[in-house]
Amino acid sequence: MRTGGLSMDQAPPLSIPASFFLTIPLGILFAGYFMFTSIAVSFGSPWTAQTLALAHAGTLGVLAMGMVGALYQMTPVIAGVPVPMARLAHIVHGLLLVGLIGFLWRLVDGPDYAMVISIRSFSLALILFLIPMAWALARPATHNETVQGMRLALASLAIISLAGLVTARGFAGGPFPDEEMLWVQIHMTLALLGWVGGLLLAVSWQVIPMFYLTSTFSKSSRQWLLGLLFMGLVLTLASVFIDIGFLSRGQTAAVAALPAAVAAWLLHPVFVLRNIAGRKRKRSDASLLFWNTGLVFALLLIPTALAALFIYDPRWQVLFGWLAIWGWAGTILHGMLSRIVPFLVWFHRYSARVGLEPVPSMRSLLSQRRIQVGFFLHTASVLSGSATILIQADMLAKLTGLLLAATAVSLASTLVHVLKRRK
Amino acid sequence: MEKTDPRGLPETSADPADIVDLRGLEAPEPMVRILAACAKLADGESFNARLPHIPFPVFPHLAARGLAWETEELADGSAIIRIRPAS
């Protein structure tokens, strides 16, 4: 038997996750800008400045903003331990924003010093984020698989940051590292499967049963998925020391990640989709559209990754990145925001009055219609972007840019609508 | 293996007959039910509930209302919470 002893100040103020979440539409707008202003053929290779800018608008501007903000909120709630010096989150947020803008500016013909500023901002932001978060997750009040997944995500973030910063020096007037492709492959694999995959799987085990009333995920399935994820990431890192003659070093690292890819992009989507389909009380919820669609995009990732690895056409590599960042992780993140932000607003503004006076229901804070509009715009932009990459028609790139901008406006409007609710 | 009583509840230190099962409710309904029930607790009474996991977010509200609580995490990850007025 344990006795609880938390105080009010252990939960972070709403302003912390909200500030990160409110910046996400800006990342989507940047992505839309790059799509709209570039000729479609720019997205025919993963190494053009436009593709790199698009990818990092998604990873740094959208996914990282959402995930870092979510970790500040989730750690006390799920792990039962406060994040020390949580107010530093506002500085972390500002530094991430400066780093993002410097990074994207350099890639679109900005000066080298833009990347220098970006590297310094990201480095400081990561130190201020990782150390308190690691301290908290090293002392959880509960040791469930969600906490383990959060730890795996955090460790992966530390490694991908190092690999990313080393590679980014090449854009800041310094040298690109030897074996650059290997660094990039490790950066990408750990980013998508460790940082994003680790957190997404861990969060899904909590929020899917909690918000959608599915059966809970069995302990053994959670342990298997975590084990496969961990194995794939370790093998990817070990591949640095392996030389298989008929595969390049980058291909070897990608193949080594297969167990993690199977966990995140095959088994997890199948388990979650099965649980969602088997709900006993099938209450309509527009945010589920995002989960279902994002998980279907996940199922496309292994075939697309194999095509990217073994077909000599770089469009497959770009398509893989697009589907992973904006199709799988981006779609699920967008859906989570539609569900989590009303919950946070309800929790911070109304829950203290429950049982003492009437309070609005959480569902009344955000209409299903708004969520549906966001879903259709988001999904349309994923499909249009995929067509842009494969067909390389300028009109499609412009359409995708407009759809991304519309998605950003829709999400921003939704977030502001919910966050300004006070009565 | 986890021990269960004939009603399907794992053996815990709380009397299973007094435990309200809140696992099948959509968030934040379990918190609403707990706080609503606790608003009516008299001295000497307790409210016991089973939840899908330890309800950390509800703890500050219980503390602010002068309530004491104990939690017990079960093998399947669910949790029992026992709440009573602080003496």
Side-chain angles (χ1 to χ4, degrees):
Chain A
M1 195 70 99
R2 297 189 311 105
T3 301
L6 292 182
S7 60
M8 283 298 270
D9 58 3
Q10 285 189 301
L14 179 58
S15 63
I16 289 182
S19 61
F20 286 92
F21 296 161
L22 280 169
T23 321
I24 291 173
L26 186 66
I28 305 174
L29 268 183
F30 282 137
Y33 170 80
F34 296 127
M35 268 285 181
F36 190 82
T37 57
S38 307
I39 54 171
V41 74
S42 310
F43 303 108
S45 159
W47 309 118
T48 62
Q50 290 83 355
T51 305
L52 288 173
L54 179 70
H56 288 89
T59 52
L60 300 172
V62 177
L63 301 183
M65 286 294 177
M67 292 163 67
V68 169
L71 273 168
Y72 277 114
Q73 177 64 39
M74 284 165 50
T75 301
V77 172
I78 291 176
V81 60
V83 179
M85 297 179 287
R87 296 276 175 188
L88 285 177
H90 293 298
I91 298 172
V92 171
H93 176 239
L95 289 167
L96 285 179
L97 206 51
V98 171
L100 170 70
I101 291 168
F103 190 96
L104 298 180
W105 183 25
R106 169 63 187 89
L107 287 178
V108 291
D109 281 340
D112 283 354
Y113 71 77
M115 188 60 83
V116 173
I117 292 170
S118 173
I119 289 173
R120 288 179 183 169
S121 298
F122 277 134
S123 302
L124 188 54
L126 288 161
I127 289 168
L128 296 179
F129 171 69
L130 285 169
I131 293 174
M133 196 60 70
W135 191 92
L137 288 176
R139 297 163 177 76
T142 179
H143 287 83
N144 57 34
E145 291 76 23
T146 296
V147 172
Q148 291 167 25
M150 290 161 71
R151 287 170 164 175
L152 184 67
L154 206 66
S156 300
L157 176 64
I159 297 170
I160 62 169
S161 303
L162 186 65
L165 291 168
V166 166
T167 312
R169 281 173 53 216
F171 291 105
F176 283 103
D178 294 338
E179 300 270 12
E180 183 190 351
M181 287 304 107
L182 184 61
W183 280 91
V184 169
Q185 190 63 52
I186 288 172
H187 174 70
M188 260 176 41
T189 303
L190 267 76
L192 289 175
L193 290 167
W195 166 229
V196 178
L199 194 61
L200 195 149
L201 265 63
V203 169
S204 73
W205 296 326
Q206 290 276 333
V207 300
I208 296 276
M210 186 170 113
F211 284 133
Y212 306 114
L213 299 181
T214 68
S215 54
T216 53
F217 298 90
S218 71
K219 194 172 183 67
S220 61
S221 76
R222 286 177 279 167
Q223 288 173 334
W224 266 102
L225 288 177
L226 264 184
L228 285 169
L229 210 52
F230 182 72
M231 185 198 302
L233 300 178
V234 169
L235 286 174
T236 301
L237 291 173
S239 72
V240 171
F241 307 103
I242 299 169
D243 190 2
I244 300 176
F246 60 93
L247 293 178
S248 71
R249 301 295 293 273
Q251 283 176 322
T252 307
V255 170
L258 195 60
V262 167
W265 297 332
L266 179 61
L267 298 177
H268 178 256
V270 167
F271 290 165
V272 177
L273 288 168
R274 187 195 60 190
N275 273 19
I276 290 173
R279 286 184 301 156
K280 286 179 186 151
R281 289 169 55 197
K282 290 190 167 58
R283 191 173 184 183
S284 147
D285 191 319
S287 66
L288 256 184
L289 292 169
F290 286 94
W291 270 103
N292 284 328
T293 308
L295 292 167
V296 169
F297 284 132
L299 292 171
L300 300 176
L301 288 175
I302 290 180
T304 312
L306 291 173
L309 273 176
F310 298 110
I311 297 176
Y312 188 71
D313 183 341
R315 287 178 301 175
W316 288 101
Q317 297 174 35
V318 183
L319 182 65
F320 167 76
W322 173 256
L323 288 176
I325 294 167
W326 192 234
W328 169 57
T331 302
I332 290 174
L333 177 76
H334 191 158
M336 286 303 300
L337 289 171
S338 309
R339 203 66 165 81
I340 293 286
V341 174
F343 178 77
L344 291 180
V345 169
W346 184 91
F347 175 71
H348 282 278
R349 301 217 172 114
Y350 303 109
S351 63
R353 287 149 45 190
V354 169
L356 307 175
E357 59 183 271
V359 296
S361 71
M362 189 188 79
R363 277 185 172 256
S364 70
L365 300 183
L366 180 60
S367 76
Q368 296 291 299
R369 185 77 184 153
R370 272 182 186 272
I371 304 173
Q372 286 165 349
V373 169
F375 169 75
F376 287 118
L377 289 170
H378 189 122
T379 307
S381 70
V382 175
L383 298 176
S384 171
S386 303
T388 303
I389 292 161
L390 291 174
I391 300 169
Q392 304 205 328
D394 290 344
M395 281 297 290
L396 282 172
K398 298 229 177 297
L399 174 65
T400 307
L402 291 174
L403 286 168
L404 285 167
T407 306
V409 171
S410 161
L411 178 59
S413 148
T414 296
L415 293 175
V416 169
H417 173 79
V418 179
L419 287 164
K420 76 178 185 188
R421 261 298 283 264
R422 296 212 170 262
K423 291 185 178 177
Chain B
M1 193 172 168
E2 190 181 3
K3 291 180 182 175
T4 55
D5 83 341
R7 284 159 292 190
L9 286 174
E11 192 172 82
T12 74
S13 51
D15 179 356
D18 295 336
I19 298 173
V20 179
D21 193 344
L22 300 178
R23 286 175 298 168
L25 298 174
E26 179 183 332
E29 195 58 28
M31 182 189 286
V32 171
R33 299 273 180 105
I34 289 173
L35 293 175
C38 290
K40 299 170 190 161
L41 275 183
D43 281 347
E45 288 182 336
S46 69
F47 176 72
N48 307 318
R50 186 169 181 193
L51 298 127
H53 44 74
I54 298 175
F56 292 111
V58 85
F59 294 167
H61 295 318
L62 300 179
R65 294 175 187 204
L67 297 163
W69 69 93
E70 294 171 321
T71 59
E72 183 178 3
E73 192 168 22
L74 305 179
D76 65 353
S78 67
I80 303 282
I81 185 167
R82 176 193 289 261
I83 304 164
R84 61 183 181 281
S87 50

